[in-house]
Amino acid sequence: MKDIMQEILSHFPSISFAFAYGSGVFAQRGNVSSENMLDFVFVVDNPYEWHKENLRMNPRHYSLLGALGPGALVKLQDMFGAGVYYNTLVDCGGRLIKYGVISVENFQLDMIHWKWLYISGRLHKPVRIVQNLNETKIQTLLESNLFSALNTALLCLPEKFSEQDLYLAIAGLSYAGDFRMLVGEDKNKVKNIVIPNMKKFRDLYGPVISTSKVIHSRSTSSLLEQSMSHDQTCKLLKTLPQTLMSRILRYSFGSLTSEPPLEEALLNIAKERHKCSKLVSRSVSSIVGYSSVTQSLKGILTAGVIKTCFYSGKKLKKMFRGFFRS
């Protein structure tokens, strides 16, 4: 698989950071096939120059939008959806692939602040890193994103929970509010991702959990525990990404003429843990819901009508297969 992915990358202009994800890379329960499409994300330094070169190298990867030139592609990439431009159902090196292109700047915005909770959401789950030209910087972003995912999930979990519950909560963040979970995705998708890949989740989150002062385990129980105290809840809230924090404050104090100071606001939100959990979940869903709709609408343009219909048909087939399994 590593050789296949390196071969695929050789067909493209220079990429700063690339990772592969999805059922073509990691087994998902009920969806195991060597013919599954390989999904990639390419983080590039200069999207204009990248698309310009890619249009020269791979013009057939693009829909009719490619005829508008790299300037138009970059505007569509950055100004609508989740900052990503996807080409899908591309035959590359004998494998069917889909690849999304995002600028370094937008990648950082999503990883640190969860501006769209789209690419950052992909990286809440195990992925296969294919290329990394700036390991130190990227590693910092990856760790920050995992830390945010862990603390957000903890705010949505009860006092006692299993390791599997934790990973289900984390993996579910990027699907909360996604309209495709209503039509187009297997309803068991989160379980299908987590259950066959427990070891990979453990490897991914083990270092983050080991440094967390929130989670505790007891030798007499297989369950994990966290403090539900007012102070601990407030500390977790303070660590949340900027966009998520803004949504939480908006839903909490939107009807007021002026918001209270941040410290006072968080102390007030943390008073009732159950209400706080619902508020966090609602705020996550609102970010994911908007980005999933706008990115999917953009996908119709970037893929073209024929590819969109074919891709949607495959998704619906998976959804019905999952429905009858459950």
Side-chain angles (χ1 to χ4, degrees):
M1 181 62 75
K2 184 178 179 181
D3 290 342
I4 290 171
M5 291 184 180
Q6 289 298 330
E7 164 63 20
I8 288 171
L9 253 61
S10 70
H11 292 261
F12 294 95
S14 178
I15 298 163
S16 295
F17 176 63
F19 66 89
Y21 65 96
S23 60
V25 183
F26 297 110
Q28 292 183 16
R29 191 173 59 175
N31 186 22
V32 180
S33 172
S34 60
E35 297 180 1
N36 284 349
M37 184 164 61
L38 292 173
D39 295 337
F40 292 90
V41 168
F42 300 157
V43 181
V44 302
D45 293 322
N46 187 324
Y48 179 89
E49 292 298 331
W50 196 91
H51 281 294
K52 180 180 178 181
E53 181 64 11
N54 198 45
L55 280 166
R56 186 189 67 80
M57 295 173 65
N58 303 300
R60 298 184 68 182
H61 290 188
Y62 293 84
S63 67
L64 292 176
L65 288 177
L68 299 177
L73 300 181
V74 171
K75 282 185 179 179
L76 183 61
Q77 176 178 312
D78 290 344
M79 296 176 66
F80 193 65
V84 197
Y85 188 103
Y86 269 102
N87 283 326
T88 190
L89 295 172
V90 171
D91 187 346
C92 186
R95 286 297 298 259
L96 200 62
I97 73 167
K98 176 178 75 174
Y99 63 92
V101 183
I102 185 169
S103 68
V104 170
E105 292 78 12
N106 281 340
F107 179 70
Q108 291 173 342
L109 278 174
D110 206 33
M111 294 291 283
I112 298 171
H113 301 303
W114 284 10
K115 182 174 181 179
W116 300 285
L117 194 41
Y118 196 83
I119 297 302
S120 56
R122 300 284 185 272
L123 287 159
H124 288 169
K125 301 171 278 291
V127 302
R128 187 184 293 271
I129 294 175
V130 187
Q131 175 119 300
N132 191 356
L133 300 184
N134 194 339
E135 290 191 19
T136 303
K137 187 174 184 179
I138 292 295
Q139 189 59 35
T140 300
L141 291 172
L142 294 174
E143 289 175 1
S144 172
N145 186 44
L146 295 179
F147 181 75
S148 296
L150 174 65
N151 287 349
T152 303
L154 287 173
L155 283 166
C156 300
L157 285 165
E159 182 178 5
K160 296 181 180 181
F161 51 90
S162 69
E163 184 185 23
Q164 182 173 294
D165 291 335
L166 176 61
Y167 299 146
L168 287 170
I170 290 171
L173 292 174
S174 59
Y175 294 107
D178 190 334
F179 80 98
R180 293 170 298 179
M181 295 303 290
L182 298 175
V183 179
E185 286 286 7
D186 186 343
K187 300 299 182 292
N188 299 306
K189 187 174 182 68
V190 176
K191 287 184 179 180
N192 294 344
I193 291 170
V194 172
I195 292 173
N197 295 295
M198 282 290 292
K199 184 181 183 303
K200 291 183 175 65
F201 274 92
R202 193 174 295 124
D203 292 342
L204 184 63
Y205 283 94
V208 185
I209 292 172
S210 67
T211 60
S212 172
K213 297 179 181 179
V214 182
I215 302 176
H216 307 284
S217 59
R218 294 185 177 181
S219 57
T220 56
S221 172
S222 60
L223 293 177
L224 301 171
E225 295 183 15
Q226 65 168 323
S227 169
M228 305 286 280
S229 71
H230 182 209
D231 287 345
Q232 189 58 66
T233 301
C234 197
K235 287 179 182 178
L236 285 173
L237 285 169
K238 288 179 180 178
T239 68
L240 299 182
Q242 185 182 81
T243 305
L244 179 56
M245 178 75 76
S246 297
R247 295 292 175 102
I248 290 170
L249 294 173
R250 184 194 306 172
Y251 290 135
S252 298
F253 306 104
S255 60
L256 300 181
T257 54
S258 62
E259 284 184 12
L262 181 60
E263 186 75 22
E264 181 185 334
L266 295 181
L267 285 169
N268 186 58
I269 293 168
K271 283 180 181 177
E272 295 185 62
R273 181 62 179 250
H274 180 66
K275 286 186 178 179
C276 175
S277 296
K278 285 190 172 182
L279 189 59
V280 172
S281 296
R282 180 188 176 190
S283 301
V284 169
S285 295
S286 71
I287 301 171
V288 174
Y290 179 78
S291 62
S292 68
V293 169
T294 54
Q295 186 64 38
S296 293
L297 289 173
K298 183 166 72 175
I300 297 173
L301 295 174
T302 60
V305 176
I306 295 175
K307 282 187 177 181
T308 298
C309 291
F310 183 77
Y311 184 69
S312 299
K314 292 184 73 174
K315 285 288 186 181
L316 287 170
K317 184 178 179 181
K318 286 183 183 179
M319 182 188 76
F320 286 120
R321 195 164 57 216
F323 174 77
F324 288 115
R325 272 202 314 273
S326 60

